Amino acid sequence: MELLEVLHSLTSVTLLGAVIFLLVLFFFSRSRNVEQRKEPPGPRPLPLIGNLLHLDPMNPHITLWELSKKFGNVFTVYLGPKKVVVLAGYKTVKQALVNNADEFGDRELIPILTEISQEHGIIFANGESWKEMRRFALTTLKDFGMGKKISEEKIIDECQNLMEVFEQYKVQLQEELSSVIGNRQVRVEDRKNLPYTDAVIHEIQRLANIVPMSLPHTTSQDITFQGYFIKKGTVVYPLLTSVLWDETEWETPLSFNPSHFLDKDGKFVKRDAFMPFSAGRRACVGESLARMELFLFFSILLQHYRFTPPPGVTEDELDLTPTLGFTLNPSPHQLCAHSRV
Ligand code: HEM
């Protein structure tokens, strides 16, 4: 009987010891894991709503940009229950999208959109289908004449239609034609001789920042990035606002300054942090076409018209605050176009 009791108490002690041992083991392995898998920091989320209360719904990109100043260039926010890793600043966004293009190159698939597109198309697709469609789109755009004569003619036609619309309002002639362009038709090849116009267009794109959070990416595999562990399938926002307005890259990040793109002799200079079309394997497919359109529309319109606020409104009174939709758009407002010819 006594022997049984001794055995019984021995078993209890052994069991207790084993449990304590396992607990200690679990604790240490967990803390080592946490150490190894340090996740990007971020504001403390609330259950269900996450960090939604931290975000300005009208300007989420601005709030995220401000949060990056507090939590660093790689940080986590919860949009409701959804975890998002935000990448901020030119160097970090470039390191992720260009140097780690494969790991950060998948698109977040939004269920309703994938349902509609059946995962075909380019924007909301991944894998082989995306690769094929992207290649096809780029080839087709090239065949269609992206950057060549055919599309140039089409864009010029469109621009003339737009000018006819202005003409209907019998706009007033007020200023002379730009001395750089003169009276003849502007062509794409004129861009290199119009460094100031080119710099102004770039500066508008930089400051206007029309796709402020790019499009959502996801990680295609686990990755340790700048010392932080990011799990495969995590949604990633490359915060283009923080690139286009990066204080370490631009002399006057928040004010309009075409000199950002001009050297001391007035020649156009490219800037690495000019990334409105994003970068890496998911960068905008339509960049060349969009750049050509912007140049032709802008220079032809300015060649023919001088734009002013409507009578009774000063330039300072114009509300240029953009409205947030899929992209940042100008809010509707009235302008006067005064014919210059
Ligand atoms: C000023 C005009 C434009 C801007 C600022 C712009 C900007 C962007 C940005 C920031 C992205 C996301 C890239 C990323 O996920 O990292 C994108 C993707 C894309 N853009 Fe544009 N875009 C413009 C015009 C166009 C045009 C004219 C086209 C079509 C001809 C186009 C087609 C696309 C496509 C298909 C994608 C998805 C690429 C992919 O997921 O592989 N874009 N664009």
Side-chain angles (χ1 to χ4, degrees):
M1 193 64 190
E2 263 180 23
L3 183 68
L4 263 179
E5 265 171 22
V6 170
L7 274 177
H8 189 250
S9 63
L10 264 181
T11 321
S12 309
V13 169
T14 321
L15 262 176
L16 191 68
V19 168
I20 291 172
F21 176 75
L22 283 175
L23 275 175
V24 169
L25 200 71
F26 173 74
F27 175 77
F28 275 111
S29 68
R30 195 167 167 272
S31 61
R32 231 186 57 207
N33 252 348
V34 169
E35 190 94 321
Q36 272 173 359
R37 299 188 150 204
K38 193 167 64 152
E39 297 205 354
R44 189 187 292 274
L46 292 172
L48 287 174
I49 58 168
N51 299 115
L52 288 180
L53 294 181
H54 286 98
L55 297 183
D56 172 357
M58 299 316 289
N59 289 299
H61 64 292
I62 302 286
T63 329
L64 293 178
W65 187 41
E66 280 159 3
L67 286 174
S68 75
K69 291 179 182 154
K70 189 165 172 199
F71 293 100
N73 288 336
V74 185
F75 66 96
T76 311
V77 284
Y78 285 82
L79 306 182
K82 184 161 87 178
K83 176 180 172 178
V84 173
V85 168
V86 181
L87 305 175
Y90 164 65
K91 289 192 180 74
T92 300
V93 170
K94 185 185 168 217
Q95 190 188 349
L97 300 191
V98 179
N99 304 355
N100 294 282
D102 285 342
E103 293 90 335
F104 285 97
D106 270 3
R107 177 76 67 221
E108 182 200 8
L109 299 181
I110 297 162
I112 184 156
L113 297 176
T114 34
E115 189 65 32
I116 295 168
S117 71
Q118 300 286 303
E119 280 205 49
H120 297 310
I122 306 176
I123 301 186
F124 293 106
N126 284 322
E128 280 310 309
S129 154
W130 162 76
K131 222 182 248 172
E132 211 170 298
M133 292 307 278
R134 187 173 166 107
R135 215 177 295 131
F136 174 76
L138 284 167
T139 321
T140 312
L141 279 166
K142 246 186 225 142
D143 292 349
F144 171 70
M146 180 170 78
K148 298 212 191 85
K149 280 265 178 298
I150 310 169
S151 46
E152 185 179 353
E153 297 301 345
K154 284 200 175 121
I155 294 165
I156 289 170
D157 271 0
E158 260 180 68
C159 199
Q160 264 148 9
N161 290 341
L162 208 69
M163 287 193 290
E164 277 157 28
V165 173
F166 282 128
E167 219 65 63
Q168 288 168 14
Y169 295 101
K170 301 204 181 339
V171 285
Q172 293 276 298
L173 182 141
Q174 277 200 352
E175 234 182 51
E176 288 190 341
L177 281 168
S178 154
S179 57
V180 188
I181 300 170
N183 258 333
R184 66 175 174 79
Q185 178 67 64
V186 182
R187 317 290 320 192
V188 170
E189 59 265 25
D190 291 324
R191 187 197 281 256
K192 56 183 179 308
N193 301 319
L194 295 166
Y196 189 75
T197 309
D198 209 6
V200 168
I201 297 171
H202 278 72
E203 183 63 357
I204 292 172
Q205 270 203 282
R206 184 192 72 78
L207 201 61
N209 175 33
I210 65 167
V211 197
M213 297 183 281
S214 189
L215 295 175
H217 287 225
T218 50
T219 40
S220 60
Q221 58 194 73
D222 289 356
I223 178 171
T224 301
F225 181 72
Q226 294 192 359
Y228 296 117
F229 175 76
I230 307 172
K231 206 169 152 35
K232 173 182 175 176
T234 305
V235 178
V236 174
Y237 285 3
L239 191 61
L240 296 185
T241 303
S242 67
V243 179
L244 296 172
W245 301 354
D246 189 332
E247 291 95 340
T248 61
E249 296 290 328
W250 306 98
E251 291 71 30
T252 59
L254 295 180
S255 48
F256 185 77
N257 176 10
S259 311
H260 282 140
F261 297 94
L262 294 168
D263 67 11
K264 59 177 179 9
D265 302 319
K267 288 209 183 89
F268 181 81
V269 278
K270 279 190 180 163
R271 299 290 297 263
D272 291 340
F274 179 73
M275 228 187 240
F277 298 98
S278 190
R281 69 202 284 258
R282 298 307 293 232
C284 178
V285 169
E287 174 170 352
S288 304
L289 181 64
R291 280 166 47 81
M292 188 162 91
E293 286 194 333
L294 281 172
F295 173 71
L296 290 174
F297 268 87
F298 185 79
S299 50
I300 293 173
L301 285 173
L302 283 194
Q303 184 189 28
H304 289 80
Y305 294 98
R306 189 171 66 84
F307 295 93
T308 63
V313 180
T314 67
E315 279 187 20
D316 290 341
E317 283 166 350
L318 279 180
D319 181 10
L320 299 178
T321 320
T323 47
L324 184 74
F326 184 55
T327 51
L328 284 182
N329 304 308
S331 26
H333 56 266
Q334 292 184 320
L335 278 183
C336 285
H338 308 268
S339 178
R340 305 176 78 188
V341 284

